[in-house]
């Protein structure tokens, strides 16, 4: 019996060591190409090198696709970095992570999707943290040790499957370029200021406009996270504004009750200036690329101009007051 236990122990240790080794091998061989953690590293590097005052945009992919930072920079007269990324990271992660780059004199603009969750998708967050370990500071820790260990094991095996899959074929992200007409989501998909531009040469994809909540949404947790960023940013001497996300007309009609419930909570409870209303950012279905949040390249210019008009109007009103 003792020999059996020793053999089981040796096997278990060997298996664990193999899993850790293969997981590390996957991370090491994919660092240059990783979309999630890689781009988080890249965006922080850009923001850290920009002098303040600067304009920082925070939020999900609706604003990664939704603005032209070069146009914004020409009009506001200060450097612009679009740190918005993907909604599955959740507001808790996105807001706390962006605070690392906020300094005195900065202008912070926040845009969060109506259906964004507070704590995001666990697998997406773990995939980002593989390549961006600083992100572990902005994750809600699971209380159960058993659940944490179980989730960690599942994620590591997922990485191992990806490792073997890559070894059997081409890693498409290694060859993707902005100039091609097929790739969208890869590490080099963003402009020097953080806007996603990889879809400029690509045809739009078909998607379902009604994959969106119809009933009211409890946004209290998300607002708590956003207000945390607002209060901390203002303590540092930064100005904060909230902007509603662009959304397709069919999606808005389908989920009007959900959108209006979020809008009401934001206008009632958010502790910063809210530019415009949800209806201001409803665009024709034909304006969207591959989801009802992702604007086509030409449409992001329209969205940028609308934001500038609302911001300039706010500044004019403040001067009159």
């Amino acid at each position: 019996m003792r020999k059996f236990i020793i053999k089981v122990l040796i096997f278990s240790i060997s298996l664990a060591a193999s899993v850790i080794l293969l997981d590390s091998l996957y991370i090491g061989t994919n660092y240059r190409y990783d979309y999630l953690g890689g781009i988080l590293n890249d965006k922080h590097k850009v923001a850290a090198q920009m002098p303040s005052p600067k304009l920082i945009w925070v939020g999900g992919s609706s604003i990664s696709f939704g603005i032209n930072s070069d146009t914004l920079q020409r009009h506001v007269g200060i450097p612009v970095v679009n740190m918005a990324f993907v909604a599955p990271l959740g507001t808790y992660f996105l807001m706390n992570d962006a605070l690392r780059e906020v300094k005195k004199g900065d202008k912070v603009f926040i845009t969060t999707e109506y259906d964004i969750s507070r704590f995001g998708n666990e697998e997406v967050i773990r995939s980002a943290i593989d390549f961006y370990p600083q992100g572990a500071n902005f994750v809600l820790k699971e209380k159960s040790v058993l659940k944490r260990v179980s989730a960690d094991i599942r994620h590591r095996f997922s990485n191992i499957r990806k490792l073997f899959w890559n070894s059997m074929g081409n890693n498409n992200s290694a060859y993707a370029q902005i100039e091609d007409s097929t790739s969208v989501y890869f590490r080099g998909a963003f402009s020097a200021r953080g806007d996603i531009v990889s879809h400029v040469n690509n045809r739009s994809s078909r998607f379902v406009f009604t994959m969106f909540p119809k009933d009211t949404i409890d946004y209290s947790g998300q607002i708590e996270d956003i207000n945390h960023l607002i209060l901390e940013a203002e303590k540092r001497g930064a100005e904060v504004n909230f902007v509603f996300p662009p959304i397709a007309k069919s999606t808005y009609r389908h989920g009007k009750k959900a959108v209006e419930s979020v809008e009401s909570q934001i206008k009632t409870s958010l502790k910063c200036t809210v530019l415009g209303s949800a209806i201001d950012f409803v665009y024709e279905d034909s304006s969207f690329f591959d989801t009802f949040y992702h604007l086509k390249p030409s449409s992001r210019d329209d969205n940028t101009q609308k934001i500038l008009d609302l911001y300039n109007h706010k500044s004019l009103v403040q001067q009159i007051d």
Side-chain angles (χ1 to χ4, degrees):
M1 184 65 179
R2 184 181 177 185
K3 289 183 178 179
F4 175 75
I5 293 174
I6 292 174
K7 287 181 180 180
V8 170
L9 185 61
I10 292 173
F11 174 78
S12 300
I13 293 172
S14 300
L15 178 61
S18 299
V19 169
I20 293 171
L21 178 63
L22 290 171
D23 178 64
S24 299
L25 182 61
Y26 169 77
I27 294 170
T29 55
N30 284 275
Y31 175 79
R32 289 176 55 202
Y33 317 115
D34 183 69
Y35 179 72
L36 291 168
I39 290 175
L40 282 167
N41 280 302
D42 295 343
K43 290 199 173 194
H44 275 286
K45 184 176 180 180
V46 171
Q49 292 174 344
M50 279 189 179
S52 292
K54 61 184 179 294
L55 189 154
I56 304 174
W57 214 297
V58 183
S61 61
S62 64
I63 215 68
S64 291
F65 282 82
I67 59 169
N68 186 325
S69 291
D70 290 324
T71 299
L72 277 177
Q73 180 162 314
R74 286 197 300 272
H75 283 80
V76 298
I78 57 175
V80 174
V81 56
N82 186 351
M83 291 194 67
F85 195 21
V86 294
L89 290 173
T91 54
Y92 185 78
F93 186 109
L94 290 168
M95 300 302 119
N96 282 287
D97 182 56
L99 265 174
R100 292 179 53 206
E101 306 301 344
V102 178
K103 297 178 176 62
K104 183 177 180 179
D106 290 347
K107 297 180 186 293
V108 181
F109 283 69
I110 304 169
T111 296
T112 53
E113 289 74 11
Y114 298 107
D115 53 348
I116 191 173
S117 67
R118 186 177 188 187
F119 298 114
N121 178 285
E122 182 179 21
E123 180 59 25
V124 171
I125 292 172
R126 284 179 176 272
S127 296
I129 292 172
D130 281 341
F131 302 89
Y132 178 67
Q134 302 94 316
N137 297 319
F138 314 124
V139 178
L140 181 69
K141 300 295 189 298
E142 173 62 58
K143 292 181 180 179
S144 168
V145 175
L146 182 61
K147 287 184 178 179
R148 287 207 303 268
V149 172
S150 176
D152 184 66
I153 291 172
R154 288 197 304 272
H155 176 65
R156 288 178 186 271
F157 272 110
S158 174
N159 281 351
I160 292 170
R161 286 195 297 272
K162 293 174 188 175
L163 176 66
F164 281 105
W165 181 262
N166 288 344
S167 68
M168 295 173 65
N170 290 327
N171 183 349
N172 293 330
S173 60
Y175 305 100
Q177 296 181 355
I178 289 174
E179 293 76 16
D180 69 38
S181 60
T182 55
S183 306
V184 178
Y185 300 99
F186 57 97
R187 186 164 183 175
F190 290 75
S191 72
R193 303 198 182 284
D195 301 339
I196 192 165
V197 291
S198 54
H199 62 318
V200 170
N201 302 313
N202 297 7
R203 295 180 64 181
S204 58
S205 305
R206 297 184 65 181
F207 58 91
V208 180
F209 285 97
T210 54
M211 292 291 289
F212 186 81
K214 291 193 72 172
D215 296 323
T216 59
I217 297 172
D218 179 5
Y219 219 67
S220 56
Q222 292 88 324
I223 287 175
E224 184 178 332
D225 295 332
I226 300 169
N227 277 338
H228 172 68
L229 183 151
I230 293 167
L231 295 176
E232 290 299 316
E234 289 180 344
K235 285 180 184 177
R236 302 177 191 183
E239 169 197 313
V240 186
N241 297 274
F242 182 89
V243 178
F244 290 100
I247 192 169
K249 183 178 287 186
S250 290
T251 308
Y252 176 77
R253 287 173 176 168
H254 168 81
K256 190 170 184 287
K257 185 177 179 180
V259 170
E260 288 180 343
S261 71
V262 173
E263 178 180 23
S264 175
Q265 292 170 77
I266 285 173
K267 288 189 171 181
T268 301
S269 304
L270 217 59
K271 299 182 184 300
C272 73
T273 299
V274 178
L275 298 180
S277 299
I279 193 67
D280 294 325
F281 297 94
V282 176
Y283 296 99
E284 295 295 332
D285 294 354
S286 58
S287 300
F288 291 83
F289 177 70
D290 62 356
T291 82
F292 44 75
Y293 280 131
H294 293 173
L295 288 170
K296 290 179 179 177
S298 57
S299 301
R300 73 184 181 127
D301 293 326
D302 297 334
N303 194 51
T304 303
Q305 187 58 54
K306 183 166 291 185
I307 293 164
L308 282 167
D309 291 343
L310 288 167
Y311 184 69
N312 290 336
H313 176 73
K314 168 211 159 184
S315 300
L316 179 61
V317 169
Q318 287 178 337
Q319 288 175 16
I320 294 172
D321 291 343

